[in-house]
Amino acid sequence: MRDRESAAEPLPYAEVTDEGYATRVAETFSVRRYGPAVLLSGDCPRCQHPISCPIVGEVFRRVASQASVELGYRTLLCSCAAEHPDRPDGLAGCGAYWTVTLEVES
Ligand SMILES: [Zn+2]
């Protein structure tokens, strides 16, 4: 589901979410452990720019693609470094957000 904005013109900032975002993140993001935190890395499901989302708290094993035993939920926000027109000062990313489900390491 790529939009026309994958062409040259930059995607305008918009605070939006979509069911497909979380699905794509579960399929494509990598999860790396850094001590008590995990770092989710991949391409933003809206603007396609690379982003990294540190998550601190419980110890997560991976992004779950479906519900299983013990899960954590986090809402992530695009934090890419690319320019997006109409973005408020002081913010990063394209405005996209989504909720990921994470398997908790037992
Ligand atoms: Zn984005």
Side-chain angles (χ1 to χ4, degrees):
M1 192 181 67
R2 291 179 75 99
D3 302 297
R4 53 188 154 64
E5 57 266 358
S6 56
E9 69 190 73
L11 194 61
Y13 180 91
E15 290 176 1
V16 293
T17 191
D18 187 282
E19 279 182 31
Y21 291 175
T23 306
R24 199 174 326 172
V25 166
E27 288 169 355
T28 62
F29 272 41
S30 67
V31 179
R32 278 180 293 165
R33 290 270 297 274
Y34 285 99
V38 295
L39 189 67
L40 302 183
S41 309
D43 293 337
C44 170
R46 177 170 181 250
C47 71
Q48 319 296 332
H49 294 121
I51 56 171
S52 303
C53 307
I55 295 178
V56 184
E58 295 143 278
V59 176
F60 299 109
R61 193 164 40 188
R62 64 187 183 89
V63 180
S65 52
Q66 59 189 31
S68 61
V69 197
E70 201 182 350
L71 299 170
Y73 299 91
R74 288 291 187 282
T75 298
L76 303 181
L77 196 61
C78 174
S79 58
C80 73
E83 277 303 313
H84 290 289
D86 307 327
R87 183 169 61 201
D89 287 345
L91 294 181
C94 70
Y97 62 94
W98 57 93
T99 300
V100 292
T101 306
L102 298 148
E103 287 186 15
V104 179
E105 184 143 283
S106 51

